[in-house]
Amino acid sequence: MKLFRWMAVLLVSLSFAVSAASADDNRSTILLTLTQSDYGGGRIYLPVRFGNFMGTMRLDTGASTTRITLADWNKDLPSLDQSVSTGASGKTTRCDDVEAKNVELKAAQGTNIARAKYLVTRCAASDGDDLLGLDFFKGARLNLDFERHELVFFGDAPANGRSKPFRLLGPDQRLVGIEVRSGNTTAVGLFDAGAEISAVDRQFVEKHKNQFTLVKRKGKASEVGGKKFSPQIYKIKEFELARGLILRDVYVIVYDFGVLREALGRETPFILGYNLLSQFNWELDFRSPNAPTWDAKPK
């Protein structure tokens, strides 16, 4: 069960490329492969091309940058620098920052979503998937449609007008979160499509025990580098994303966020993972770097 990846933010300046001749051509549809796991969890995979290599990557909006494992297809990508990624247990991994060319999401309809040059993190070893991070979507407006298993890009088409602001998170504010409510308590949750199960900082649970029901004292989980740990499993009795977007009895894993608490801020005790996010279809707008927005509708 992959939980959370906070990756060192890279200073990148990228242009988002979707060429089109008309409003209809602006719509590009990427088909998603969704896998299921315990407690309503799951993973999201997309078809991605790196130069001449075609494969799949896991969508991970909880990682500020894209992460790949050293392999024959990427071993010759030039290394420009190094960065550090940190997992849920606080374990850090030093990786190379490499430049990839002609990185594309393969569209089933419309134009491929492409970057001519793209800075990614390449790690020598990993027990997990290659991860497509949040920075790939800089400059884009898209729908994450769990019902139709699609990621739909809309180019310059206007948003629906009902969007709400994301909270910028992380040391360089390259991750995004949502203001949420549990019981009568307001907090922030990291928007993390790469986490199979939503998570809560143990400190928050200890302060608000009446909002949670214990399900299992010792679960099984692993972080991005494959390191295993044993969080508790709870249900949140009631959880509100926004007015009218209320869920009850949401499964969460509970552990001490530790270094992640420092990275995300103490006002962010929640990680909103697949089991919660997949209850809605999402409109995500990253065209304004300093003011990204979101909207959601129940499936």
Side-chain angles (χ1 to χ4, degrees):
M1 184 188 302
K2 197 70 62 179
L3 301 179
F4 175 72
R5 300 123 316 280
W6 172 67
M7 301 187 69
V9 175
L10 307 177
L11 298 178
V12 293
S13 178
L14 303 171
S15 59
F16 190 79
V18 184
S19 59
S22 68
D24 289 341
D25 291 333
N26 273 340
R27 181 185 177 97
S28 292
T29 301
I30 315 298
L31 297 182
L32 305 176
T33 299
L34 307 182
T35 66
Q36 307 300 314
S37 60
D38 294 340
Y39 304 108
R43 300 182 180 187
I44 307 169
Y45 293 94
L46 311 88
V48 183
R49 184 190 303 276
F50 273 74
N52 295 323
F53 180 80
M54 186 69 196
T56 60
M57 298 188 75
R58 183 173 166 191
L59 177 63
D60 188 359
T61 61
S64 58
T65 62
T66 289
R67 173 171 169 157
I68 58 177
T69 303
L70 179 64
D72 286 342
W73 66 269
N74 64 53
K75 62 183 176 61
D76 294 325
L77 296 178
S79 177
L80 304 180
D81 204 345
Q82 288 191 321
S83 61
V84 174
S85 64
T86 303
S89 68
K91 179 183 178 181
T92 60
T93 303
R94 186 169 295 278
C95 305
D96 290 326
D97 303 335
V98 300
E99 184 179 78
K101 296 183 178 180
N102 301 320
V103 180
E104 295 184 335
L105 298 185
K106 182 68 174 177
Q109 295 180 336
T111 308
N112 289 350
I113 307 302
R115 293 197 183 280
K117 293 183 179 180
Y118 184 41
L119 198 61
V120 304
T121 301
R122 182 182 63 197
C123 301
S126 173
D127 292 333
D129 301 306
D130 288 339
L131 307 174
L132 188 69
L134 190 64
D135 69 333
F136 186 87
F137 303 98
K138 181 180 178 181
R141 184 172 78 83
L142 60 149
N143 276 6
L144 175 55
D145 192 324
F146 284 95
E147 191 169 22
R148 298 173 64 90
H149 295 197
E150 293 177 346
L151 198 64
V152 183
F153 291 77
F154 293 98
D156 294 328
N160 61 27
R162 300 186 301 271
S163 296
K164 294 160 278 293
F166 274 119
R167 286 277 296 272
L168 299 179
L169 303 174
D172 291 312
Q173 297 196 315
R174 297 295 182 91
L175 298 172
V176 295
I178 292 175
E179 292 186 0
V180 299
R181 181 181 295 274
S182 177
N184 295 321
T185 305
T186 300
V188 178
L190 175 73
F191 188 91
D192 189 0
E196 290 189 46
I197 301 292
S198 300
V200 186
D201 191 347
R202 182 179 294 121
Q203 286 190 1
F204 185 90
V205 175
E206 290 174 351
K207 292 179 181 179
H208 305 90
K209 293 180 180 180
N210 64 326
Q211 298 172 24
F212 297 87
T213 302
L214 180 64
V215 175
K216 193 172 185 179
R217 293 190 178 277
K218 196 172 183 179
K220 295 181 180 180
S222 61
E223 61 178 36
V224 63
K227 181 179 175 61
K228 292 178 169 43
F229 63 107
S230 301
Q232 295 177 317
I233 299 174
Y234 281 79
K235 282 184 180 179
I236 304 178
K237 294 179 181 179
E238 183 173 292
F239 196 79
E240 183 177 9
L241 294 175
R243 182 171 296 179
L245 300 178
I246 299 174
L247 293 173
R248 293 178 175 85
D249 294 329
V250 179
Y251 286 105
V252 293
I253 60 172
V254 173
Y255 58 94
D256 188 339
F257 278 18
V259 66
L260 301 182
R261 185 187 308 120
E262 300 304 318
L264 298 174
R266 294 180 178 274
E267 75 280 10
T268 309
F270 291 95
I271 295 172
L272 311 182
Y274 181 100
N275 69 314
L276 188 150
L277 299 180
S278 62
Q279 303 303 306
F280 305 93
N281 292 322
W282 297 83
E283 180 179 295
L284 310 173
D285 194 338
F286 299 111
R287 290 177 294 181
S288 176
N290 298 320
T293 63
W294 66 277
D295 189 27
K297 295 181 179 178
K299 293 193 320 185

